[in-house]
Amino acid sequence: HGGDRGGAPSAASQLRSSIAVGAKVSIVQKHHQRTGERTEGSVQRILTNSARHPRGIKVMLATGEVGRVHSVANEPTGGP
């Protein structure tokens, strides 16, 4: 996706309604906030209770890692 280290979370990542359990997402774990290093995985639990969060919705991945969603992977639409 290019080298946009850190950067603001995407609009979708700030809305709880746009993140589904099982969705593929890219998160930034708390100890990676300074570097903006991302971890990819599928959502196991959504930890943020509010409908939106300016820094990204907090989730737990299937691997047990916790962080704020930076971007939501687009579901494949059957293209080439």
Side-chain angles (χ1 to χ4, degrees), residues 1 23-29 37-43 61-63 65 71 73:
H1 283 338
K24 281 200 86 72
V25 296
S26 174
I27 68 166
V28 177
Q29 295 178 67
E37 184 182 326
R38 312 231 177 92
T39 305
E40 294 192 352
S42 56
V43 176
L61 300 182
T63 54
E65 292 159 313
S71 57

Side-chain angles (χ1 to χ4, degrees), residues 29-47:
Q29 295 178 67
K30 187 145 183 73
H31 57 274
H32 288 151
Q33 275 175 348
R34 273 209 308 277
T35 61
E37 184 182 326
R38 312 231 177 92
T39 305
E40 294 192 352
S42 56
V43 176
Q44 183 177 346
R45 285 179 59 202
I46 298 173
L47 303 176

